[in-house]
Amino acid sequence: MDSKINILIRNEVENFKKNMRDPILMITIISIMILVFLFILYPLIKILSESIFYNGKISLEHYKNIFKNDSTLEIIKNTVVLGIIVSTISTLIGFLFAYASAYLKIKNKGIFNAVAILPMISPPFVIALSTILLFGRNGFITRGIFGIRDFDVYGLKGLIIVQTLTFFPVAYLMLVGLLKSIDPSVEEAARDLGASRWNVFKTITLPLMVPGLANAFLLVFIQSIADFGNPMVIGGNYTTLAIQIYLQGIGNYDIGGGTALAIILLIISIILFTIQKYYVSTKSYVTVTGKVSRERELTDSPKIVKPVYYIIVAISIFVGLLYILVPIGSFIKLWGADYSFSLNHYKYVFGLGMKPIIDTTMLALVATPISGILGMIIAFLVVRKKFIGKTFVEGTTMLAIAIPGTVIGLGYVLSYNTKPLVLTGTATILIIAFIMRSMPVGVRSGIAALQQIDPSIEEAANVLGADSKKVFTSVTVPMIKPAFFSGLTYTFIRSMTLVSTVIFLVSANYNLLTAAIMSQIDVGKIGVASAYSTILIIIVGIVVSIMQFTLSRMGVNINNGEGGK
């Protein structure tokens, strides 16, 4: 044991001496470690410390106080129940879309794929807003068509609908890759031996997919319990933990109670993330089969194709309808009462409310390249370099994916509202929030891309005298361009649509579109909220189209990267 420790220490010392010979590399490593500590780990330490200190002493008083309130257990139960229901339905729908895409001979697969991905590139509460327009108290269907005046879509049932439609693409994107990885020769051998399609599905396809289904279920569950936008818009009296953290900490000025709730939500998220990351994802039997031996012969049996096709068409039409309703709602004078055409909402937005649009776009444009470059640098360091603290950098950036936005938002308020580093109310903290919420995905895609590239080219450049900066900019980045640019696209979309973290950080100096949309919904100005949402979707569409057009002219196909989502 002692000899192993000595070897480990000797290796670390040698790595340290080697890195010291490259000052730029050493400065970069230290800077990254400081950044990761300050803006991912330190806010969590601050929340934990705030939750366990009471009147200057270590105490569990804040926890006792929140559990004295009967509603706390009810809120935790609400969060878990919602997560289980949404995860189950989302995984089923995601599987249907994935099965249709990978196994069935059906028309319009491109449209179905686009519809499945649409909720991931739009503001998190657009579906909630559309659901209110359709099924709310003044909803077009409930009151306009059926004349129902007291229909209440708010609460659990509304949340199940909007979260399912928002998060099923997560399950779809995970499952479609796994289904396409299954070697068709195994199933075809079973068919040749006389097994029916149902028996092949039941005894081969489904068992192979069980770890993937469990993985998708857990990922959706994590997103559901961390969701802030949808419960805020359509949750009504059905409160979840993410909402209660905000209400307790900011609404009731009970920071201690808010931090205690944040720790509970964080623990649930990290436990699920750890199970998903280190247990379920390693149980995939599909991946061990390696590359499929040949193309799958798609099923065209009407008994299978027709039911699946009609279900996904119905879901696609419903999702499409919800998205079309937002721009339509922005041109309606008074939804539910006067459906005449009007530009009043846009006059209001362009006359008085342009600040959130300008602020959000400018801050997102600043954050995007920084996040993209940082993600690739961290991926490069993790995959290609050996240094003290490497496990800390890799582990903390991965941990950031599991941290709910409300938790990190509250952590920033606690950490950077007092000296020595006062950042709240500034553009800097908003840009940092954008970067830190997007960067982990860029790191993951960068790591995945680098692991597929033979390091001998970079080693050759090193041998020829190039330092780490030269190797990174001249050799590494050109080879991982798709992952880098897909990280840029993801960061811009995420920054424009982020709500859970920034809701704690917006101020009179800087207001953001998502916060402005939520405040308009809160005061009942659905038309103005629809106008803001439409503008947001248009800006995202324009910028992403420009980025993709520019990249295609440069010969970069970001679909080859893995960081799109």
Side-chain angles (χ1 to χ4, degrees):
M1 179 63 81
D2 287 343
S3 62
K4 283 185 180 177
I5 293 172
N6 288 335
I7 292 170
L8 187 66
I9 293 171
R10 194 162 55 244
N11 287 340
E12 292 293 348
V13 171
E14 283 175 9
N15 289 331
F16 180 75
K17 285 179 181 173
K18 188 179 171 186
N19 292 335
M20 282 299 285
R21 288 196 288 272
D22 190 341
I24 294 176
L25 175 64
M26 207 59 206
I27 291 169
T28 307
I29 290 171
I30 294 169
S31 305
I32 292 291
M33 289 174 78
I34 292 171
L35 274 177
V36 166
F37 175 77
L38 281 180
F39 299 113
I40 297 177
L41 203 56
Y42 181 65
L44 300 184
I45 295 171
K46 198 74 181 163
I47 287 180
L48 180 63
S49 128
E50 190 76 26
S51 74
I52 59 172
F53 274 93
Y54 187 79
N55 290 334
K57 294 179 182 173
I58 293 179
S59 163
L60 294 178
E61 196 63 28
H62 292 307
Y63 291 90
K64 287 179 187 170
N65 285 339
I66 60 168
F67 280 107
K68 278 179 189 169
N69 194 339
D70 293 338
S71 64
T72 301
L73 283 176
E74 184 72 22
I75 288 166
I76 295 173
K77 182 184 149 200
N78 286 350
T79 308
V80 175
V81 167
L82 177 66
I84 291 172
I85 296 173
V86 168
S87 306
T88 305
I89 302 173
S90 296
T91 305
L92 284 173
I93 294 176
F95 181 76
L96 268 184
F97 272 78
Y99 189 79
S101 177
Y103 273 62
L104 302 185
K105 194 172 185 177
I106 57 172
K107 296 178 289 184
N108 308 318
K109 279 189 183 179
I111 296 174
F112 296 138
N113 288 340
V115 167
I117 294 170
L118 199 56
M120 298 189 76
I121 59 169
S122 61
F125 41 74
V126 162
I127 289 180
L129 179 60
S130 302
T131 304
I132 293 172
L133 292 173
L134 276 181
F135 304 108
R137 294 185 184 98
N138 291 320
F140 180 73
I141 291 178
T142 46
R143 187 167 181 179
I145 295 178
F146 294 105
I148 305 170
R149 290 181 175 273
D150 56 351
F151 187 82
D152 189 5
V153 75
Y154 298 90
L156 179 61
K157 55 181 176 292
L159 273 173
I160 291 172
I161 294 170
V162 299
Q163 281 202 346
T164 299
L165 294 178
T166 303
F167 298 131
F168 87 84
V170 175
Y172 162 73
L173 287 174
M174 171 163 285
L175 296 174
V176 73
L178 292 179
L179 280 170
K180 286 180 178 175
S181 303
I182 295 177
D183 194 329
S185 58
V186 182
E187 292 155 319
E188 285 169 10
R191 287 280 292 156
D192 291 341
L193 291 170
S196 66
R197 288 187 189 281
W198 170 243
N199 274 333
V200 171
F201 177 78
K202 191 174 64 174
T203 56
I204 297 177
T205 313
L206 196 57
L208 284 172
M209 289 300 297
V210 166
L213 290 168
N215 218 355
F217 178 91
L218 286 172
L219 273 181
V220 174
F221 194 98
I222 291 169
Q223 300 223 9
S224 169
I225 62 172
D227 183 26
F228 179 84
N230 288 313
M232 199 71 178
V233 172
I234 204 169
N237 293 326
Y238 194 89
T239 308
T240 61
L241 267 174
I243 297 295
Q244 189 59 24
I245 292 168
Y246 177 75
L247 296 177
Q248 194 94 14
I250 304 299
N252 298 338
Y253 302 104
D254 177 12
I255 294 294
T259 54
L261 288 168
I263 291 295
I264 292 169
L265 180 59
L266 184 64
I267 289 171
I268 297 173
S269 293
I270 289 178
I271 289 173
L272 291 170
F273 178 75
T274 308
I275 294 171
Q276 180 268 325
K277 179 76 182 164
Y278 298 103
Y279 182 72
V280 176
S281 61
T282 60
K283 296 289 180 187
S284 174
Y285 303 113
V286 176
T287 53
V288 297
T289 61
K291 192 176 180 181
V292 295
S293 57
R294 59 189 177 81
E295 286 291 313
R296 175 180 300 282
E297 192 176 327
L298 298 178
T299 306
D300 58 359
S301 167
K303 285 183 182 176
I304 301 171
V305 170
K306 279 189 177 178
V308 175
Y309 183 74
Y310 290 141
I311 291 172
I312 62 175
V313 163
I315 294 171
S316 300
I317 291 173
F318 188 57
V319 171
L321 178 66
L322 292 176
Y323 277 90
I324 292 170
L325 266 183
V326 173
I328 292 175
S330 68
F331 291 107
I332 299 296
K333 193 169 186 179
L334 184 60
W335 194 271
D338 182 356
Y339 285 99
S340 58
F341 179 83
S342 170
L343 291 173
N344 286 347
H345 307 308
Y346 285 96
K347 285 179 184 171
Y348 173 85
V349 168
F350 290 120
L352 298 172
M354 281 294 286
K355 185 170 170 51
I357 300 170
I358 296 169
D359 285 352
T360 310
T361 310
M362 296 308 294
L363 295 175
L365 286 173
V366 172
T368 298
I370 301 173
S371 176
I373 292 167
L374 264 180
M376 291 306 108
I377 290 174
I378 293 174
F380 174 73
L381 292 176
V382 167
V383 178
R384 294 288 193 256
K385 298 294 174 187
K386 293 176 181 174
F387 58 93
I388 298 169
K390 178 175 165 176
T391 308
F392 163 75
V393 172
E394 185 179 9
T396 310
T397 48
M398 290 300 107
L399 173 74
I401 295 174
I403 304 172
T406 42
V407 175
I408 203 75
L410 184 60
Y412 280 1
V413 170
L414 291 172
S415 306
Y416 302 113
N417 202 29
T418 53
K419 290 181 178 179
L421 198 55
V422 181
L423 294 175
T424 49
T426 67
T428 307
I429 194 69
L430 291 167
I431 292 170
I432 290 169
F434 287 169
I435 293 169
M436 292 300 155
R437 297 307 291 164
S438 312
M439 189 186 67
V441 173
V443 174
R444 279 181 66 170
S445 64
I447 289 174
L450 279 169
Q451 284 172 339
Q452 293 172 7
I453 296 170
D454 192 332
S456 58
I457 304 171
E458 291 152 316
E459 287 166 6
N462 262 324
V463 170
L464 290 170
D467 61 16
S468 293
K469 181 189 169 192
K470 186 71 179 171
V471 172
F472 179 73
T473 53
S474 304
V475 181
T476 310
V477 169
M479 287 194 295
I480 56 170
K481 273 192 294 187
F484 173 64
F485 287 112
S486 67
L488 289 186
T489 308
Y490 175 83
T491 301
F492 183 76
I493 294 169
R494 185 77 191 267
S495 301
M496 290 294 293
T497 58
L498 190 63
V499 58
S500 56
T501 306
V502 298
I503 198 77
F504 290 88
L505 305 172
V506 290
S507 63
N509 295 330
Y510 295 94
N511 195 5
L512 298 181
L513 256 176
T514 48
I517 294 168
M518 295 196 71
S519 66
Q520 294 299 332
I521 293 172
D522 203 35
V523 296
K525 291 185 177 179
I526 301 294
V528 177
S530 300
Y532 270 131
S533 297
T534 306
I535 291 168
L536 195 159
I537 293 170
I538 290 171
I539 292 172
V540 170
I542 289 173
V543 174
V544 171
S545 299
I546 291 172
M547 287 169 80
Q548 290 193 330
F549 175 75
T550 310
L551 295 176
S552 68
R553 301 282 293 193
M554 292 164 59
V556 178
N557 180 10
I558 64 170
N559 293 324
N560 290 336
E562 296 186 21
K565 274 291 152 186

